[in-house]
Structure formats: C-alpha cells, structure tokens
Amino acid sequence: MNAPQLTKNQALVFEVLEKADGPLSAYTILDKLRDHGFRAPLQVYRALEKLLEYGVVHRLESINSFVVCAHPNENCHSHGTVAFAICESCGHVMEFHDHEVDHRLMDWTRGKKFKAEKTTIEIRGLCETCAA
Amino acid sequence: MNAPQLTKNQALVFEVLEKADGPLSAYTILDKLRDHGFRAPLQVYRALEKLLEYGVVHRLESINSFVVCAHPNENCHSHGTVAFAICESCGHVMEFHDHEVDHRLMDWTRGKKFKAEKTTIEIRGLCETCAA
DNA sequence: TCAATTGCGTAATGCTATAACGTGTGCGAT
DNA sequence: ATCGCACACGTTATAGCATTACGCAATTGA
Ligand SMILES: [Zn+2]
Ligand SMILES: [Zn+2]
Ligand SMILES: [Zn+2]
Ligand SMILES: [Zn+2]
C-alpha cells in the first residue's frame, strides 16, 4: 500500500518514530506528543493503524512496540515477509528479508493448505556491539 | 530443559492448557481455575514461567496466549526454533520446525554477529478447514 | 541451627489496547 | 443547495495483559 498524504496526527506519530533510534511503545509515543496536544492513547493507536496499513511503520509483536520501516523506498514488503533482529540491551532493530525463509514457510503453508495472512519473524538477542 | 515434578499450581495450569483445543490467555486460565482456588493473575503467571522454562508450554507472542508443546516427547526445541501457524478463525495452532529456516536465520545472525537468544516465528491466517 | 532457595497468597499497580460516544469537515449524488 | 456518506478527530471509560512488592511457609543443605 502506498502512503497518501499523512494527516496531522499521523505525521506527528511518524516523526516521533523516525527520530527515535529504536522501537517505541504506543504509550511512549503518547508521552512524547503531549506537548503537541495528544491526550489519549486512541490518538496514537489510530495513527499507528494507518501507518501500519501504509507500510511505513512495523509493529514488533514480541515487544509491543512500533518502528519505522527501514526500507522506505524499496517496496520490500510486497516481495516477502519482513524479519527483525531486536537487541534486548540497546533496543536497536535490524530489519531484513530472506527469500529462502519465505519460500520455506510458503512451502509449509501450501503443504498444509494454510492460508497465511501475516507472518511474524522476530529474533531477540544481543547486537554485535552489546554482545562484546 | 527437562521438566521435574510439577507443583500443584503448575500441574493445574498445565492440565487446563492440555485440555484446551487451542491457545489460552493467562486470564482465561485464571478464570478456569477459580474453582480450584486461584484468585490472582500471579498464580497463573508464575506457573507459566516455569512451564515455559521446562519447555512444555509455548508462548504465542502475537496473540498473548499460551499453548502446550505439540511435541512432548521429542526434545524438539533443542534442535531449532519452533514455528507456529495460528488459525485466526478457529484458534487452532500447528507447531512445526524447519531446519532450513533455522539455518538461514542462523546464517544471517552469524553474518551480523548478532547473538540470538529467542526467535519467534508465527504465521497467522486460516487453517484448511476455515479457509474453505 | 542458620541461611538460602523456592513456592505460594494477596494487594496494588502499571502497561497495552479497544469500545462507545459524539463532533466536525469535505465531497459527490440528487 | 442539502443530503448522505466517509473519514479524521477528541474524550471518557473500560477491557485485557503483566509485574512489583510484601509477607509467609516449606525445603534444602551447610
Ligand atoms: Zn519495512
Ligand atoms: Zn545492542
Ligand atoms: Zn514445542
Ligand atoms: Zn481454523
């Protein structure tokens, strides 16, 4: 899905995520936007819903947080599942694709006649810097 | 990790999950155990913590729920990541392994010098029955 | 005996997400 | 024009998920 012009709230939420150097929870975003008039969680969640729909933000299921897409230009999400490596020490996230993984999982779902809608791949651990 | 003798609470939680035909949330488990003396979420969470540690229960990150391991005998978790296919209609879960996927992800983490601790692979969609 | 560990019970709190209500605005169809 | 509709927005309340903090009892092992 291509992102149309963002509304004011959507743009504010996106900016906060863009400036952050790691994933943020919805409530952290809310706190960062109180000065801009945000008062309630729903203002954040509604904006996130759209940003997710447009594919410019990803949700990290394993840590209930949100992060900007690392591949804003390539339309990477149209050709496979996105995977994430999340450092549990510094919070840094790496987003990547692996077609071979996609194909293996697709093979499995085809074999089981399972109709996949949304696939989550998240690796939690320590990044190179933090593991040293 | 091998499971030692379960305590009373652990056994109760395990039984509830075993009898269920799909994943359950911690609070659903709590409700099912009120007749057995459970009063507080912590009684469930503490039991789950141990059951997860013993590897006899899995946590489904994308739906905040818990399910018994589908491979109680094989010590499957020692030889790779567990993946799940979760039907969003009937709630059924299929647990599987794919060494090729494991190897691809391990190759990636090695390449990035990322020290993986816990990997989540969850496919949400419709099972064969529900997709028909 | 003493200390450390583990499990348990309870209350309180915190974090995450949605439901339900109403408002206003833009825009095409009648 | 004005009606109907879609959409974004604001607010309050509530639902759902998880942990902190405190204290007690039983077990273990030096
Ligand atoms: Zn992306
Ligand atoms: Zn790190
Ligand atoms: Zn298992
Ligand atoms: Zn199904």
Side-chain angles (χ1 to χ4, degrees):
Chain A
M1 160 109 35
N2 224 5
Q5 187 61 29
L6 299 182
T7 67
K8 184 160 178 291
N9 284 3
Q10 288 161 19
L12 285 168
V13 169
F14 184 73
E15 273 174 42
V16 165
L17 278 174
E18 209 174 20
K19 281 174 189 145
D21 61 348
L24 299 179
S25 77
Y27 278 72
T28 302
I29 296 170
L30 173 58
D31 285 339
K32 287 180 184 291
L33 287 175
R34 290 201 188 275
D35 293 344
H36 293 76
F38 275 48
R39 318 284 320 244
L42 216 48
Q43 294 174 283
V44 176
Y45 281 109
R46 288 205 270 234
L48 285 172
E49 185 180 23
K50 288 300 181 182
L51 295 172
L52 290 169
E53 187 181 322
Y54 303 152
V56 296
V57 162
H58 297 296
R59 176 192 170 84
L60 301 177
E61 310 274 2
S62 66
I63 57 173
N64 297 319
S65 293
F66 303 85
V67 69
V68 288
C69 177
H71 311 108
N73 296 323
E74 344 167 16
N75 197 352
C76 54
H77 312 125
S78 63
H79 53 74
T81 295
V82 191
F84 301 92
I86 306 165
C87 177
E88 295 187 300
S89 171
C90 69
H92 195 241
V93 171
M94 281 176 282
E95 178 180 340
F96 67 100
H97 301 275
D98 187 304
H99 282 219
E100 193 59 37
V101 169
D102 291 352
H103 291 153
R104 292 291 295 185
L105 292 179
M106 276 202 305
D107 284 352
W108 186 91
T109 54
R110 256 201 306 271
K112 297 290 186 186
K113 295 190 171 28
F114 187 93
K115 184 160 179 283
E117 298 287 1
K118 174 92 171 63
T119 298
T120 297
I121 302 178
E122 296 177 17
I123 308 173
R124 295 189 298 302
L126 296 175
C127 73
E128 178 174 8
T129 305
C130 293
Chain B
M1 163 110 37
N2 224 6
Q5 186 62 28
L6 299 182
T7 67
K8 185 161 176 291
N9 284 3
Q10 290 161 18
L12 285 168
V13 168
F14 184 73
E15 274 175 40
V16 165
L17 279 174
E18 208 175 22
K19 280 174 188 145
D21 61 347
L24 299 178
S25 77
Y27 276 72
T28 302
I29 296 170
L30 174 58
D31 286 339
K32 288 179 183 292
L33 286 175
R34 289 201 187 275
D35 294 344
H36 292 75
F38 275 48
R39 316 287 318 256
L42 213 49
Q43 295 174 283
V44 177
Y45 282 109
R46 288 204 271 232
L48 285 172
E49 186 180 21
K50 288 299 183 184
L51 296 172
L52 290 169
E53 187 181 322
Y54 302 152
V56 296
V57 163
H58 297 296
R59 175 191 171 85
L60 302 177
E61 310 275 2
S62 65
I63 57 173
N64 296 321
S65 293
F66 304 84
V67 69
V68 288
C69 176
H71 312 107
N73 296 323
E74 345 166 16
N75 196 351
C76 53
H77 311 125
S78 63
H79 54 75
T81 296
V82 192
F84 302 92
I86 306 164
C87 177
E88 296 187 300
S89 171
C90 70
H92 277 160
V93 171
M94 282 175 280
E95 178 181 340
F96 66 101
H97 300 276
D98 187 304
H99 282 219
E100 193 60 38
V101 169
D102 291 352
H103 290 153
R104 293 291 295 185
L105 293 179
M106 275 202 304
D107 284 351
W108 186 92
T109 54
R110 258 201 304 271
K112 297 290 187 187
K113 296 190 171 27
F114 187 94
K115 184 160 178 283
E117 298 286 0
K118 175 95 171 61
T119 298
T120 297
I121 302 178
E122 296 178 17
I123 307 172
R124 295 190 299 301
L126 296 175
C127 74
E128 178 173 7
T129 305
C130 293

